[in-house]
């Protein structure tokens, strides 16, 4: 039974594309066949994060319009053979997407892959609503700050009303992934705590990914973090999140700042 | 014309049923609808002549619409009532009931058993539709058309509809709950950027972070109660205050908001 998963957030820049690539790769590393679909038509990025930008010939819009067959447009990852990408079109805009067309492509992908990961664009307009439209599972990506949390709350409302599942009265499975979590700033009270975010959004927590240079470096070299630096805390958090999506029970621990940092912080405060 | 909704228990229905397999669930629903009320008056010959003239101009007035006959004008004589009903049926009006008459007065006649309507809202004269004013206005003025057929007013929803709405999940940012007919109870939080608007009071068993606007119908009698006050704006009966206008001491506490002689007041509940 294949699953369609949307990675969404409402707000831009919170880490949707990084998360799509990392979770997709982690699921593929766990033996699942995975299709990554970029819905950010006009502002595509998933191809860069996967290092496939030079291999894009056909894209999602071509497949929707019948200019290319799905098999022609799918780009297989060179490192993980069970990970494929369907890129977005950079030269078009979201109006090129149609609900029927997206529905047809998703149906066809369901027949070929275990997981279809839809990387949603920011916002609540056509691109974002079509990315979530056919999903069975949603991963809501939020940073621990008020604007991101409020936008995520808005998105959860849309997931519960505008998706096919919601309209047919079925429950939409929703998970919260907190990204760019900075334990140091959280300890100083400069950032919302995990508890605060969970209290407001009231959906189950899938994982907490710390803010780190490793994530940035992986994106720059065009390799999902779970492949590029599997030992890094961020990669481990994504790998564990993927295991939770596959139904495993893996306890979640809130990342804390190294002891030295906190004591130094307090020492500085005492001195000041 | 408003009945309740019944759901019969399939087990009790199955008793005595010949088929052993599970029977379909019987759902009886109630609904209110608009019926036309027409009141014949003696002498009936003149009244029917007027009606015929009326139907000649606006044939569609009664077409397919349920009609209730107010027999108060003919109630002293059963013959007259029967004659009136017969006359209306001959004109293909769909009579679904009578009013203004004792049911036993029709006993023994061919109208024995016609439903007697006793309940319903007050009726008021309804302007007769489908009358192009170009059609002989002179004749229209001259014709001694009796009281135009009146229709019962649709039941005031506030009196019949469930007086409260319960929402058992969080109200998310961007969502708007509007319930004019009574109170709204939210079990969960009302998010920042969400709003709840109620005809009556608002109860939030969770954090109220968005807007709560109470008393759309009941005015200053309404109140807002919340488990945790973190609202952006509260309003009761048209008086509103934003979060800037109340002390930080109330923030995060369970609170109530009400109107006191035209001023909005907030106080902690704990």
């Amino acid at each position: 039974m294949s699953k369609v998963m949307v990675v969404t957030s409402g707000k831009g820049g919170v880490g949707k594309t990084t998360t799509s690539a990392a979770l997709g790769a982690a699921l593929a590393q766990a033996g699942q066949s995975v299709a990554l679909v970029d819905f950010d038509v006009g502002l595509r990025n998933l191809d860069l994060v996967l290092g496939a930008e030079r291999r894009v010939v056909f894209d999602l819009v071509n497949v929707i319009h019948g200019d290319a067959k799905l098999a022609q447009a799918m780009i297989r990852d060179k490192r993980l053979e069970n990970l494929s990408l369907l890129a977005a079109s950079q030269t078009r805009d979201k109006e090129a997407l149609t609900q029927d067309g997206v529905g047809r492509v998703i149906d066809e992908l369901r027949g070929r892959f275990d997981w279809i990961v839809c990387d949603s664009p920011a916002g609540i307009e056509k691109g974002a609503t079509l990315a979530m439209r056919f999903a069975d599972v949603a991963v809501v990506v939020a940073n621990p700050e008020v604007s991101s949390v409020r936008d995520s709350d808005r998105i959860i409302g849309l997931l519960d009303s505008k998706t096919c599942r919601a309209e047919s009265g079925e429950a939409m499975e929703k998970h919260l992934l907190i990204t760019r979590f900075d334990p140091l700033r959280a300890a100083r009270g400069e950032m919302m705590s995990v508890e605060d975010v969970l209290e407001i959004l009231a959906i189950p927590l899938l994982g907490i990914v710390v803010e780190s240079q490793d994530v940035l470096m992986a994106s720059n070299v065009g390799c999902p973090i779970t492949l590029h630096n599997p030992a890094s805390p961020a990669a481990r958090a994504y790998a564990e999140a993927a295991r939770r999506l596959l139904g495993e029970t893996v306890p979640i621990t809130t990342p804390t700042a190294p002891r030295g940092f906190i004591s130094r912080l307090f020492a500085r405060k005492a001195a000041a | 014309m408003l009945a309740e909704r019944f759901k019969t228990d399939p087990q009790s229905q199955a008793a005595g049923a010949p088929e052993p397999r599970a029977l379909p669930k019987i759902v009886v629903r109630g609904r209110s609808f608009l019926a036309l009320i027409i009141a014949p008056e003696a002498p009936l010959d003149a009244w029917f002549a007027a009606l015929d003239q009326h139907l000649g101009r606006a044939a569609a007035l009664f077409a397919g619409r349920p009609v209730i006959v107010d027999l108060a004008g003919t109630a002293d004589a059963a013959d007259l009532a029967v004659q009136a009903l017969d006359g209306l049926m001959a004109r293909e009006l769909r009579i679904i009931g009578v009013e203004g008459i004792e049911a036993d007065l029709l006993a023994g006649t061919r109208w024995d058993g016609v439903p007697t309507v006793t309940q319903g809202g007050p009726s008021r004269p309804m302007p007769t539709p489908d009358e192009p004013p170009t059609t002989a206005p002179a004749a229209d003025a001259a014709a001694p058309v009796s009281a135009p057929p009146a229709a019962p007013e649709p039941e005031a929803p506030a009196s019949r509809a469930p007086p409260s709405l319960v929402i058992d999940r969080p109200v998310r940012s961007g969502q708007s709950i509007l319930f004019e007919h009574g109170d709204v109870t939210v079990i969960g939080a009302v998010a920042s950027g969400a709003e709840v608007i109620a005809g009556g009071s608002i109860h939030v068993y969770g954090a109220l972070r968005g807007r709560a606007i109470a008393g759309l119908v009941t005015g200053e009698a309404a109140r807002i109660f919340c488990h945790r006050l973190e609202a952006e704006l509260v309003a009761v009966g048209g008086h509103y205050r934003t979060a800037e206008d109340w002390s930080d001491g109330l923030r995060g506490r369970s609170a109530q908001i009400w109107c006191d002689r035209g001023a909005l007041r907030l106080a902690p509940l704990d």
Side-chain angles (χ1 to χ4, degrees):
Chain A
M1 226 348 240
S2 66
K3 273 196 168 179
V4 178
M5 177 168 86
V6 61
V7 177
T8 185
S9 72
K11 194 176 184 299
V14 296
K16 283 181 296 296
T17 300
T18 307
T19 296
S20 299
L23 279 183
L27 286 167
Q29 285 168 294
Q32 305 282 307
S33 64
V34 180
L36 287 166
V37 186
D38 192 348
F39 274 81
D40 207 346
V41 177
L43 291 167
R44 77 175 190 214
N45 278 325
L46 193 53
D47 53 333
L48 288 172
V49 174
L50 286 169
E53 71 276 13
R54 290 183 208 168
R55 299 169 60 206
V56 178
V57 181
F58 296 112
D59 55 48
L60 176 60
V61 173
N62 295 140
V63 179
I64 284 177
H65 290 183
D67 304 330
K69 290 207 172 73
L70 187 62
Q72 293 174 293
M74 297 304 295
I75 303 163
R76 184 171 288 187
D77 190 87
K78 285 186 171 165
R79 297 147 297 206
L80 282 166
E81 63 161 14
N82 48 348
L83 178 69
S84 297
L85 168 72
L86 179 55
S89 171
Q90 183 70 354
T91 53
R92 306 294 289 267
D93 62 27
K94 266 81 171 173
E95 292 309 307
L97 297 174
T98 61
Q99 182 164 313
D100 289 350
V102 172
R104 262 185 283 118
V105 172
I106 297 279
D107 269 351
E108 210 178 331
L109 287 167
R110 273 185 197 271
R112 300 186 188 193
F113 295 91
D114 299 327
W115 288 83
I116 297 111
V117 180
C118 303
D119 181 23
S120 171
I124 54 171
E125 283 76 38
K126 198 171 186 184
T129 50
L130 284 179
M132 70 168 66
R133 181 77 192 154
F134 302 96
D136 307 309
V137 189
V139 172
V140 178
V141 182
N143 294 163
E145 43 113 357
V146 283
S147 56
S148 169
V149 170
R150 184 159 81 176
D151 290 358
S152 294
D153 196 58
R154 178 92 167 93
I155 283 290
I156 296 169
L158 294 178
L159 286 166
D160 283 335
S161 59
K162 301 278 186 220
T163 52
C164 288
R165 278 208 158 220
E167 282 175 8
S168 65
E170 284 173 274
M172 181 85 189
E173 195 184 322
K174 299 175 292 284
H175 301 279
L176 174 66
L177 189 75
I178 298 178
T179 56
R180 311 189 74 164
F181 182 78
D182 186 338
L184 200 61
R185 290 183 57 209
R188 286 199 298 242
E190 294 173 3
M191 209 175 215
M192 286 176 84
S193 70
V194 172
E195 291 72 28
D196 288 345
V197 179
L198 279 174
E199 210 261 324
I200 290 175
L201 295 180
I203 58 171
L205 183 64
L206 183 67
I208 304 163
V209 181
V210 289
E211 167 96 310
S212 88
Q213 289 296 315
D214 305 330
V215 178
L216 210 66
M217 268 158 58
S219 290
N220 284 341
V221 299
C223 184
I225 176 89
T226 48
L227 277 175
H228 185 253
N229 189 355
S232 67
R236 287 217 303 273
Y238 278 122
E240 285 178 8
R243 283 166 60 197
R244 291 184 195 106
L245 283 172
L246 290 169
E248 272 186 65
T249 311
V250 186
I252 298 177
T253 48
T254 305
T256 47
R259 225 164 235 293
F261 271 83
I262 293 194
S263 49
R264 237 181 293 159
L265 167 82
F266 284 124
R268 218 183 303 154
K269 263 199 174 157
Chain B
M1 262 149 299
L2 197 116
E4 278 128 73
R5 180 185 284 245
F6 300 97
K7 274 203 176 170
T8 52
D9 182 19
Q11 258 80 45
S12 68
Q13 283 292 311
E19 280 173 309
R21 63 191 182 83
L23 288 170
K25 201 176 260 186
I26 307 296
V27 180
V28 181
R29 294 184 306 157
R31 63 176 294 204
S32 63
F33 56 89
L34 205 64
L36 299 174
I37 298 182
I38 193 162
E41 281 167 18
L44 282 178
D45 291 347
W47 189 84
F48 274 117
L51 180 67
D52 288 337
Q53 197 175 21
H54 202 84
L55 288 174
R57 285 199 309 271
L61 179 57
F62 294 103
R65 298 209 208 179
V67 171
I68 290 169
V69 186
D70 180 353
L71 291 171
T74 61
D76 7 332
D79 312 354
L80 266 185
V82 170
Q83 209 188 323
L85 291 170
D86 286 347
L88 290 171
M89 200 159 90
R91 285 162 182 80
E92 293 182 340
L93 268 64
R94 295 195 182 177
I95 299 167
I96 60 160
V98 296
E99 65 176 25
I101 190 170
E102 295 293 325
D104 48 358
L105 204 63
L106 290 173
T109 73
R110 52 179 303 232
W111 289 94
D112 191 359
V114 66
T116 314
V117 182
T118 50
Q119 59 180 33
S123 63
R124 63 182 160 82
M126 191 185 78
T128 48
D130 327 332
E131 283 194 52
T134 49
T135 323
D140 195 42
V145 177
S146 70
E153 214 161 45
E155 259 88 12
S159 62
R160 304 282 187 153
S164 83
L165 173 71
V166 176
I167 293 169
D168 57 1
R169 54 180 181 177
V171 183
R172 302 284 182 185
S173 185
Q175 291 178 335
S176 178
I177 307 291
L178 170 63
F179 185 68
E180 287 177 63
H181 306 320
D183 295 0
V184 175
T185 305
V186 180
I187 304 163
V190 177
S192 164
E195 62 184 11
V196 178
I197 304 169
S201 297
I202 296 172
H203 308 257
V204 181
Y205 293 94
L208 170 59
R209 301 192 175 95
R211 294 171 162 213
I213 297 160
L216 218 59
V217 173
T218 60
E220 295 186 2
R223 289 184 185 222
I224 298 168
F225 303 89
C226 62
H227 189 57
R228 267 173 61 188
L229 178 68
E230 291 172 20
E232 291 160 349
L233 179 147
V234 291
V236 176
H239 306 279
Y240 73 92
R241 276 166 86 170
T242 58
E244 276 186 344
D245 304 331
W246 61 75
S247 69
D248 282 344
L250 276 169
R251 227 187 137 67
R253 295 176 71 178
S254 64
Q256 68 160 324
I257 296 116
W258 75 103
C259 259
D260 184 15
R261 280 161 288 173
L264 203 62
R265 304 218 11 214
L266 294 89
L269 284 170
D270 49 359

